[in-house]
Structure formats: C-alpha cells, structure tokens
Amino acid sequence: MTGAELAVCLASTGLAGGLTGWMARGKRLRRVLPGSVRARREEVGTSSVSLEEVLDLLPDAAVLLDGHGAMRFANVEAGGAFGDALGTIMRYPAVFAAMRHLDGATVSTSAEFVLEVPVRRVVRVDLRLLPEVLATGPAHILAILTDCSERDAVERMRSDFVAYASHELRTPLTALIGFIETLRGPAADDPAAQQQFLGIMAAQASRMQRLIEQLLELSRAEMLEHRKPRGIVDAKHVVDLVRDELGSLCAARDIELETIADSVSVPGDVEQIIRVLVNLVENAVKYAGADGRHVRVSVTVEKKILRGRTGVSFVVRDNGVGIAPEHLPRLTERFYRVEGRRGMSASGYGLGLAIVRHILDRHDGCFEITSRIGQGTRCDVWLPSLREPRLSGS
Ligand code: ADP
C-alpha cells in the first residue's frame, strides 16, 4: 500500500483527535513526513509505510489493541504522556466495557475515567475498530488517549469557587434577614435593641461589600494576568502612596508604620503594585495580635538579584502573631485562611494573598512569605528590572 493510499484508508476510518488533521491532508502524506522517514523510504525504493510509523508521527497518544484488549503497540506520544500508567489505563474496566460495544455494527466508542493513584488523573479513551485493510496482525482496535486532568482541575476549581463565594455571602445575608424580621417584630418598640442590631447589620453589610470588592479585584487580576504590564513603578512613589493610604489606620490601632524606599524603578502596573503592598500592610495590621505589645510594621525597598536576574524587592515586615509553617505553602490559594485564631478567623476571606500572587505572576515576579509563630511575618515581593542581562547571584 502506498503512503497516499494508507492516508486515504485512515481517512475512511474516521479516527479521533490528530488523525483528523491527517485526513484532511491525506493525499499529501508523503510531503508532510519528516525528512528522516522520507529519506528512509526513498532509500529502500518503496513508498510503503506501516500503520505504526504513521501513529508514531501523531501528536496524540495512540495505542493498538487486539480483540481481547491486549496492548500490541503504543506510539511515542503514548509512552511519553502516560509512561508506566499505560498498562493500568488499558486494563481499566471502563475500557473493557467500552470495547465490548465494538461489534462491527458499532465501530467507535469512548470511555472516560479517573485514576486516583499515584495522582488523580482523568483519562479519556476513544476506541475505533480498524477497517480490515489496516488491521494487519492481531491488532485491530485503535485507542486514542487524552489526559483531561487539567480541564477537570479547572472545572473543579471553578465549582469550588462558586460554592465558597455563595456560602460566604449567604451567611451574612441570612443574619441580615433575621435582624430585619426582629426589628419589625419583637424589637419594634425597643430602641436599645434596635441600635445594637443596626450596628451588627452594618458590620455584616460591610463584610459582604468587602467580599464582593475582593472577588472583583481577584477576577480583574486574573483577567489581566496574560497582559504584560506597561507602566513604570517608582518604588519610593508607591511606598509613599501606601503610607498615605494606611498611615491613619495604623495610627488608630497604635501601630508604628515605618517606610524606607529609594527612588528605584522597575516595569510594572503602578495601581497593582500599590494593591499588593496595601494588602500586605493590611494583613500585618489585621494579624498584629492582641497581647498589648508594641507592634511595628515596616515597608522597605532594596535592589536584589534573584536567580540571576536583577530586580527590586519590596519587603513588608511585622512583629505580629506569625504563621505556623504548615500553612505557608497554601496561603496564596483562594479562600485559604489560618483557622483557629480567636477573634481573627472572621476578619478576612482568604483572597488577599491570592490576588497578590496573580499580580506577581503577571509581573513575572516572585512572592515569598517567611514567618515564625509569636515573632512576626516577612513578605518579600520581587519585581524584575527591564531587559537587563542575566547576572550570577542568589
Ligand atoms: P485574609 O483576607 O483572610 O487576610 P489573605 O489571603 O490576605 O486573606 O491571608 C491568608 C491568611 O494568611 C490569613 O487568613 C492569615 O491567617 C494569614 N496571614 C496573612 N498575612 C499575615 C500576617 N502578616 N501575619 C499573620 N498571619 C497572616
């Protein structure tokens, strides 16, 4: 069979995934073969090419099976993408069950299933009965494997996100509805109770407002993430603005806010970098602790070489309650909060550091938190300089 004939046969099978592309180009199979394969064919003076050779050229993971489901061939992509797991996947009960449908009348079917070990992996297997002309030897079923784990993770994250956000909004909303009913009924003639309830209602309403603002900020940060920032951030300028914004909050809580910054510049979105520093200083204020000690928060700026790249580091330090080491790796996940702190667990939604991370990803920057329980926390925000040559360094 010639290459062109084989391509036409493949086209007639209606194979899944990347094979579709081959179908469209069927007649030109010879031209799209890489040089080495073409050279080999010209050398032997024949234009025949095996099904296995074609499958090895595909960008999809492809496996040939016999009628009992035993693997007869796996292409290069299948080995690379699934490695040792390939055997387990092809022996999976869902694959056998799907294979039983291939009786000649039904020539294509598929199965999707979840492998839980060693890591959760969602795999889709599309099965096609090969037409006789291609089913040489015992192999007569083609399986195209697709790893759907990423799509699955995104879907799960999205549904978790909606569940969390609606739960966080429903709780204060239920409280508000309860207080309104009480104010209309039992507390209608009780001015003292009315004042107390109105105070609680105002607090709940601002909590809801804060959540909505943070959700919008997070979605803005995500939307911008793939657009490179165009502005120039002057470190002294942004640190001064942060000081102006939060100076009175710190003074009201009797917290000393110290800022030290020279006028060094890096590329970046000024508004977003201010947002990052405001979030970090607000956290330092929020988690200052209530044991009556003098709390200091500082924002400093230094030039720093990180992994061979020059840049500028903004450091926000506090001597507050600190964070236990087991929480550190998860702090930038959405809605992640350190629970079990009396009087503090209700103060935020666990979105602030997720926003920080998205903004720094957009800036190609780095974010690091180091902390010790009872001693305080240090947040390092590093932004790279503009197109400077790589230097050796930390
Ligand atoms: P939140 O809105 O809950 O503050 P963040 O994402 O900003 O959300 O922070 C996540 C968690 O990290 C907080 O709930 C808090 O427990 C902890 N945290 C962040 N910054 C500090 C800090 N400076 N000191 C102590 N704990 C902190």
Side-chain angles (χ1 to χ4, degrees), residues 309-321:
R309 298 164 76 196
T310 58
V312 168
S313 191
F314 296 79
V315 183
V316 179
R317 281 192 197 86
D318 66 65
N319 61 342
V321 294

PDB file of all heavy atoms in Angstrom, residues 309-321:
ATOM      1  N   ARG A 309      18.695  37.310  37.882  1.00  0.00           N
ATOM      2  CA  ARG A 309      18.033  38.474  37.268  1.00  0.00           C
ATOM      3  C   ARG A 309      18.043  39.636  38.247  1.00  0.00           C
ATOM      4  O   ARG A 309      17.763  39.458  39.437  1.00  0.00           O
ATOM      5  CB  ARG A 309      16.589  38.142  36.907  1.00  0.00           C
ATOM      6  CG  ARG A 309      16.495  37.030  35.883  1.00  0.00           C
ATOM      7  CD  ARG A 309      15.098  36.483  35.864  1.00  0.00           C
ATOM      8  NE  ARG A 309      14.192  37.390  35.178  1.00  0.00           N
ATOM      9  CZ  ARG A 309      12.863  37.326  35.279  1.00  0.00           C
ATOM     10  NH1 ARG A 309      12.309  36.440  36.056  1.00  0.00           N
ATOM     11  NH2 ARG A 309      12.114  38.175  34.611  1.00  0.00           N
ATOM     12  N   THR A 310      18.330  40.820  37.721  1.00  0.00           N
ATOM     13  CA  THR A 310      18.313  41.990  38.609  1.00  0.00           C
ATOM     14  C   THR A 310      16.865  42.424  38.806  1.00  0.00           C
ATOM     15  O   THR A 310      16.012  42.221  37.947  1.00  0.00           O
ATOM     16  CB  THR A 310      19.103  43.164  38.003  1.00  0.00           C
ATOM     17  OG1 THR A 310      18.522  43.479  36.749  1.00  0.00           O
ATOM     18  CG2 THR A 310      20.570  42.830  37.828  1.00  0.00           C
ATOM     19  N   GLY A 311      16.615  43.039  39.943  1.00  0.00           N
ATOM     20  CA  GLY A 311      15.260  43.486  40.227  1.00  0.00           C
ATOM     21  C   GLY A 311      15.186  44.273  41.515  1.00  0.00           C
ATOM     22  O   GLY A 311      16.220  44.617  42.104  1.00  0.00           O
ATOM     23  N   VAL A 312      13.970  44.537  41.917  1.00  0.00           N
ATOM     24  CA  VAL A 312      13.754  45.309  43.139  1.00  0.00           C
ATOM     25  C   VAL A 312      12.856  44.511  44.069  1.00  0.00           C
ATOM     26  O   VAL A 312      11.878  43.907  43.640  1.00  0.00           O
ATOM     27  CB  VAL A 312      13.094  46.678  42.793  1.00  0.00           C
ATOM     28  CG1 VAL A 312      12.597  47.371  44.058  1.00  0.00           C
ATOM     29  CG2 VAL A 312      14.087  47.563  42.061  1.00  0.00           C
ATOM     30  N   SER A 313      13.239  44.498  45.346  1.00  0.00           N
ATOM     31  CA  SER A 313      12.477  43.736  46.333  1.00  0.00           C
ATOM     32  C   SER A 313      11.792  44.690  47.300  1.00  0.00           C
ATOM     33  O   SER A 313      12.434  45.573  47.862  1.00  0.00           O
ATOM     34  CB  SER A 313      13.476  42.840  47.065  1.00  0.00           C
ATOM     35  OG  SER A 313      12.793  41.918  47.826  1.00  0.00           O
ATOM     36  N   PHE A 314      10.488  44.520  47.472  1.00  0.00           N
ATOM     37  CA  PHE A 314       9.733  45.263  48.485  1.00  0.00           C
ATOM     38  C   PHE A 314       9.538  44.292  49.651  1.00  0.00           C
ATOM     39  O   PHE A 314       9.062  43.176  49.441  1.00  0.00           O
ATOM     40  CB  PHE A 314       8.351  45.671  47.973  1.00  0.00           C
ATOM     41  CG  PHE A 314       8.382  46.621  46.811  1.00  0.00           C
ATOM     42  CD1 PHE A 314       8.632  46.174  45.532  1.00  0.00           C
ATOM     43  CD2 PHE A 314       8.153  47.971  46.999  1.00  0.00           C
ATOM     44  CE1 PHE A 314       8.657  47.042  44.451  1.00  0.00           C
ATOM     45  CE2 PHE A 314       8.158  48.850  45.927  1.00  0.00           C
ATOM     46  CZ  PHE A 314       8.418  48.385  44.653  1.00  0.00           C
ATOM     47  N   VAL A 315       9.925  44.713  50.845  1.00  0.00           N
ATOM     48  CA  VAL A 315       9.792  43.798  51.996  1.00  0.00           C
ATOM     49  C   VAL A 315       8.839  44.414  53.021  1.00  0.00           C
ATOM     50  O   VAL A 315       9.042  45.536  53.474  1.00  0.00           O
ATOM     51  CB  VAL A 315      11.172  43.541  52.648  1.00  0.00           C
ATOM     52  CG1 VAL A 315      11.033  42.544  53.791  1.00  0.00           C
ATOM     53  CG2 VAL A 315      12.162  43.036  51.611  1.00  0.00           C
ATOM     54  N   VAL A 316       7.785  43.653  53.341  1.00  0.00           N
ATOM     55  CA  VAL A 316       6.841  44.104  54.381  1.00  0.00           C
ATOM     56  C   VAL A 316       7.040  43.193  55.590  1.00  0.00           C
ATOM     57  O   VAL A 316       6.863  41.977  55.500  1.00  0.00           O
ATOM     58  CB  VAL A 316       5.377  44.013  53.874  1.00  0.00           C
ATOM     59  CG1 VAL A 316       4.409  44.457  54.971  1.00  0.00           C
ATOM     60  CG2 VAL A 316       5.185  44.845  52.618  1.00  0.00           C
ATOM     61  N   ARG A 317       7.428  43.796  56.722  1.00  0.00           N
ATOM     62  CA  ARG A 317       7.716  43.004  57.929  1.00  0.00           C
ATOM     63  C   ARG A 317       6.791  43.428  59.056  1.00  0.00           C
ATOM     64  O   ARG A 317       6.450  44.604  59.163  1.00  0.00           O
ATOM     65  CB  ARG A 317       9.130  43.289  58.437  1.00  0.00           C
ATOM     66  CG  ARG A 317      10.232  42.605  57.711  1.00  0.00           C
ATOM     67  CD  ARG A 317      11.524  42.763  58.526  1.00  0.00           C
ATOM     68  NE  ARG A 317      12.674  42.485  57.697  1.00  0.00           N
ATOM     69  CZ  ARG A 317      13.271  43.367  56.928  1.00  0.00           C
ATOM     70  NH1 ARG A 317      12.831  44.606  56.880  1.00  0.00           N
ATOM     71  NH2 ARG A 317      14.315  43.038  56.200  1.00  0.00           N
ATOM     72  N   ASP A 318       6.419  42.463  59.897  1.00  0.00           N
ATOM     73  CA  ASP A 318       5.688  42.843  61.109  1.00  0.00           C
ATOM     74  C   ASP A 318       6.171  41.978  62.259  1.00  0.00           C
ATOM     75  O   ASP A 318       6.837  40.959  62.041  1.00  0.00           O
ATOM     76  CB  ASP A 318       4.168  42.697  60.908  1.00  0.00           C
ATOM     77  CG  ASP A 318       3.719  41.261  60.700  1.00  0.00           C
ATOM     78  OD1 ASP A 318       3.855  40.448  61.638  1.00  0.00           O
ATOM     79  OD2 ASP A 318       3.243  40.932  59.585  1.00  0.00           O
ATOM     80  N   ASN A 319       5.847  42.383  63.476  1.00  0.00           N
ATOM     81  CA  ASN A 319       6.196  41.548  64.632  1.00  0.00           C
ATOM     82  C   ASN A 319       4.914  41.051  65.291  1.00  0.00           C
ATOM     83  O   ASN A 319       4.780  41.029  66.505  1.00  0.00           O
ATOM     84  CB  ASN A 319       7.084  42.323  65.627  1.00  0.00           C
ATOM     85  CG  ASN A 319       6.369  43.550  66.182  1.00  0.00           C
ATOM     86  OD1 ASN A 319       5.390  44.006  65.601  1.00  0.00           O
ATOM     87  ND2 ASN A 319       6.841  44.085  67.302  1.00  0.00           N
ATOM     88  N   GLY A 320       3.939  40.668  64.429  1.00  0.00           N
ATOM     89  CA  GLY A 320       2.632  40.213  64.915  1.00  0.00           C
ATOM     90  C   GLY A 320       2.616  38.748  65.304  1.00  0.00           C
ATOM     91  O   GLY A 320       3.655  38.172  65.661  1.00  0.00           O
ATOM     92  N   VAL A 321       1.434  38.108  65.157  1.00  0.00           N
ATOM     93  CA  VAL A 321       1.234  36.746  65.684  1.00  0.00           C
ATOM     94  C   VAL A 321       2.034  35.677  64.938  1.00  0.00           C
ATOM     95  O   VAL A 321       2.287  34.608  65.474  1.00  0.00           O
ATOM     96  CB  VAL A 321      -0.261  36.354  65.673  1.00  0.00           C
ATOM     97  CG1 VAL A 321      -1.053  37.212  66.631  1.00  0.00           C
ATOM     98  CG2 VAL A 321      -0.845  36.441  64.263  1.00  0.00           C
TER      99      VAL A 321
END
